[in-house]
Amino acid sequence: MVIDNDPPCLPCFRGENVVAKVGHLSRADNLWNKISPFRFTLVGVQGDRDKAQEFEQLAMPLFTPLYSLAHWLTQDRSDAEDLVQETYAKALKGFDSFQPGTNFRAWMYRILRNTFLTSRTGLKAMVSLDDEDENAQAMTPAMTDTPETILLARADHNAIESALRQLPVPYREVVLLCDVEEMTYREIAEAVGIPIGTVMSRLARARKAMRQLLQQRATGAHP
Amino acid sequence: MSCDRWQERIDAYLDAEVPDAEAREFEAHLRACSACSSETLVRSELKRSVHLTGKTFVPDPEFRRRVHRSIARKEPRRGWLWLAAAACMAAAVLLIVLGPLMLRREAGQQQLLGELTDLHVTTLASANRVDVVSSDKHTVKPWFQGKLPFTFNLPELQGSEFELLGGKLTYLDQAPGAELLYAARKHTLSVFIFKDSPELDRAFSSGELMRKLSFNIESWSEAGLRYFIITDASRADVDDLRARFVAAAQ
C-alpha cells in the first residue's frame, strides 16, 4: 500500500491556485514534503531509484526544447534557466502522478507553463488570456498585408523573432508548440489545457497577428 | 468546396491535420486556384520561418549539466535518509551491544584485580608463603616444570634491590599459573604469570598501572603469557621489575 498524493505542481489553470502559489511554495508543496518520507519508506528504495532513473531518461531529451520554450516565454536567459530548473524539480517530485503511456512531452510542458504562470512575468503575461475574444479582435484587424511583403520578411530572422516576441503569450505558445515543436493539435490542447477548437482558433489568430506585425515592420509603420 | 472554405483549411493542411483524402482534394484545388495557391505559399513560408527562428535559443551546456545533476542527486539525497537512519541504528546497536561489553570489561577487570589482590594477601598471610623456597632462579623455574602448561624466564637480579623469595602454583579463573614472590627492601612483590586468554586480554588491554586497595598493580602481555605484578612497593619498583621481566622474556 502506497500513500499516493497529488504532486506539488498539478497542472491547473484555476485562478485561485495560481494566486496562492505566487512567489513561494504552495501549501500542497509543503504538505508533499512532509509526507514524502513516509511515502518513500513504503514504496521502497529500489522502486524509487527506478522511478528517478525513468524520469531522467524521459526528461533529459526534452531539455533543449523545454529551455527554448522557457526562453520564448520569459524572454530572458536567466529567467528561462530558473523556470527550467524549477520545472524539472517539480516534475521529478510529481513524477508519480504521470500516467505511463500518456504524452510525457505535453505533461512536462504543462508543468513548465504552470510554473511560468505563477511567476511574476507569467501572471502579467496571461492577463490577456481572460478576454481572449476582445484581445483577438484588437490583435487581428483586417488583413492588410500582401503576399509579397511576407515573402520578403521570411528571410529576415530578426523580423520573425521580433514578431514572435510581440505576440501575446497565449498566441506565442501555440505557434511555437505547433511550428517549432511540431506538436499535433491534440498534443497542444493537452499541453495548454484548452479544447482542440480553441487551439485552432488561437493558431489562426496568432498567425494573422504575425503577418500583421511583419507587414508593419516591412512598411515602416512599426519599428 | 468553395475557395472561402479552402482558405480556412490552409493552416490545418500545412499543420498536417487534415485526412489524406482531403489533402489530395485540396492539392487538386491549389493547381487550379492561384489565390489559394499563393496564400498557401505565404503561410507555408511563414511556418518554415517560425520553425527556424523558434530554435534560436539553446541552453548553456553547463546549465544543462547542472539541472541533470540536480535531478540525479535526488536519489542519493533520499538515500541519505536511509544512511542517517542506518547510522542511528548502528549507534543504537553499538550502545546496546558495546555498552554492556564495556561495562563488563570494567567489571571483569575489577573482579580479576580483586582476586589477584586476594591471592597476594593470602600469600603474605600464609606461614608457608612459597612452595619452592629459593633465591636462585635456576631452582625456582625448573620447579614449575610439569605443573604448568607453559614456561617462562626469570630475570637476573644482580645489582638490583630485588630478591627472589620463591614461587608456588596458583589459580586464577580456573586456570593454573605461577606466583613468584620478590622482596624489595621491606616490601613484598607478587609476580603472577598465566597463559593469556581473551578474557584477560580484554580486561587489561589498557596497560596502565592500576590500583586496588592501595596496592599497585601492573599487567602486561608478552609472548602469549599474561604477567601481573601486585605489591605495596612504589611505582618505580613495579616499573623496574617489569622491565627486568620483559628483558628476560626476549
Side-chain angles (χ1 to χ4, degrees):
Chain A
M1 50 168 253
V2 172
I3 305 171
D4 207 354
N5 295 282
D6 285 343
C9 181
L10 259 193
C12 176
F13 292 81
R14 288 199 304 273
E16 68 271 19
N17 273 24
V18 170
V19 172
K21 287 182 176 183
V22 174
H24 47 80
L25 296 174
S26 67
R27 272 190 2 198
D29 212 351
N30 289 332
L31 187 62
W32 174 258
N33 285 338
K34 277 180 200 152
I35 291 169
S36 56
F38 297 105
R39 185 190 135 273
F40 167 60
T41 311
L42 291 167
V43 171
V45 186
Q46 191 55 50
D48 225 54
R49 189 173 296 141
D50 291 348
K51 274 272 178 196
Q53 210 169 10
E54 191 188 342
F55 176 77
E56 197 179 326
Q57 280 165 4
L58 284 172
M60 282 321 286
L62 298 176
F63 195 80
T64 301
L66 283 172
Y67 173 80
S68 171
L69 287 163
H71 200 134
W72 278 112
L73 288 178
T74 58
Q75 312 227 27
D76 176 82
R77 181 165 286 274
S78 157
D79 286 351
E81 289 188 349
D82 288 349
L83 177 53
V84 169
Q85 178 113 47
E86 202 176 337
T87 298
Y88 272 80
K90 283 183 175 175
L92 174 58
K93 227 188 257 182
F95 189 51
D96 281 348
S97 80
F98 173 72
Q99 290 168 351
T102 62
N103 192 320
F104 185 71
R105 183 163 66 146
W107 187 77
M108 282 296 281
Y109 182 71
R110 217 153 63 214
I111 294 174
L112 179 107
R113 188 182 188 276
N114 244 15
T115 309
F116 172 66
L117 292 187
T118 59
S119 73
R120 218 157 20 120
T121 8
L123 274 180
K124 239 189 295 173
M126 289 318 248
V127 169
S128 54
L129 189 60
D130 300 332
D131 304 302
E132 195 177 311
D133 288 339
E134 285 171 35
N135 278 288
Q137 288 301 319
M139 281 304 300
T140 57
M143 291 256 284
T144 53
D145 70 324
T146 60
E148 288 74 21
T149 57
I150 301 303
L151 287 173
L152 282 174
R154 78 182 181 196
D156 188 348
H157 173 86
N158 288 337
I160 301 284
E161 186 182 330
S162 161
L164 275 172
R165 282 182 186 279
Q166 288 178 65
L167 280 185
V169 167
Y171 292 165
R172 201 189 306 151
E173 67 176 349
V174 289
V175 166
L176 290 166
L177 291 177
C178 183
D179 293 350
V180 183
E181 302 311 321
E182 296 175 312
M183 283 189 181
T184 63
Y185 291 172
R186 180 174 295 281
E187 274 185 289
I188 298 171
E190 202 181 317
V192 179
I194 52 175
I196 289 185
T198 310
V199 173
M200 292 168 76
S201 61
R202 245 182 230 185
L203 267 175
R205 289 190 184 111
R207 284 162 170 165
K208 275 183 191 169
M210 280 285 288
R211 287 173 73 162
Q212 202 208 345
L213 289 163
L214 289 170
Q215 173 76 12
Q216 281 171 353
R217 189 185 169 100
T219 58
H222 201 275
Chain B
M1 212 189 278
S2 71
C3 242
D4 285 352
R5 290 286 295 141
W6 278 125
Q7 292 267 340
E8 284 173 20
R9 298 295 287 166
I10 294 177
D11 276 350
Y13 170 77
L14 291 173
D15 293 338
E17 293 275 345
V18 296
D20 282 354
E22 192 186 331
R24 301 291 88 76
E25 207 183 326
F26 178 68
E27 283 157 12
H29 172 75
L30 284 183
R31 281 191 286 275
C33 175
S34 63
C36 282
S37 174
S38 74
E39 181 62 21
T40 304
L41 177 64
V42 168
R43 294 197 194 187
S44 152
E45 287 300 327
L46 186 64
K47 187 175 166 72
R48 223 164 62 89
S49 302
V50 170
H51 179 80
L52 293 173
T53 306
K55 299 197 183 277
T56 304
F57 307 117
V58 291
D60 183 49
E62 174 50 36
F63 170 61
R64 184 197 168 91
R65 275 193 290 275
R66 204 165 70 226
V67 172
H68 198 167
R69 272 200 305 272
S70 79
I71 62 163
R73 205 165 43 219
K74 289 286 177 197
E75 187 39 44
R77 220 188 61 178
R78 286 186 164 191
W80 237 79
L81 260 177
W82 280 108
L83 211 66
C88 286
M89 286 295 287
V93 167
L94 274 177
L95 214 72
I96 291 167
V97 173
L98 288 188
L101 258 180
M102 285 158 79
L103 285 176
R104 207 168 344 157
R105 178 188 139 173
E106 184 68 20
Q109 187 191 59
Q110 284 305 313
Q111 190 192 337
L112 286 167
L113 286 181
E115 284 188 38
L116 287 167
T117 312
D118 288 348
L119 288 174
H120 175 66
V121 172
T122 307
T123 300
L124 295 186
S126 170
N128 305 306
R129 299 200 293 182
V130 285
D131 294 335
V132 50
V133 187
S134 170
S135 62
D136 181 8
K137 65 171 182 164
H138 299 295
T139 307
V140 174
K141 182 182 162 184
W143 183 82
F144 286 101
Q145 277 178 15
K147 298 186 176 69
L148 290 174
F150 56 87
T151 183
F152 49 86
N153 288 333
L154 293 177
E156 288 292 345
L157 298 174
Q158 281 167 349
S160 77
E161 294 184 84
F162 299 108
E163 184 191 349
L164 179 59
L165 302 177
K168 69 170 179 180
L169 207 62
T170 190
Y171 289 86
L172 180 70
D173 214 11
Q174 293 91 50
E179 180 180 358
L180 302 153
L181 211 58
Y182 289 88
R185 300 177 303 278
K186 297 281 180 196
H187 304 289
T188 312
L189 301 92
S190 282
V191 177
F192 295 95
I193 307 173
F194 299 95
K195 218 173 123 190
D196 210 352
S197 70
E199 291 75 27
L200 287 174
D201 199 47
R202 216 168 25 242
F204 296 100
S205 57
S206 64
E208 63 203 60
L209 188 82
M210 296 153 285
R211 288 178 68 81
K212 178 98 183 168
L213 304 172
S214 289
F215 288 110
N216 282 326
I217 304 171
E218 174 81 84
S219 174
W220 72 95
S221 178
E222 183 83 46
L225 298 180
R226 169 62 58 177
Y227 294 78
F228 297 95
I229 299 175
I230 176 163
T231 179
D232 61 336
S234 71
R235 181 167 183 168
D237 287 336
V238 174
D239 288 345
D240 191 357
L241 187 60
R242 174 191 168 160
R244 288 171 187 278
F245 266 93
V246 170
Q250 299 296 314

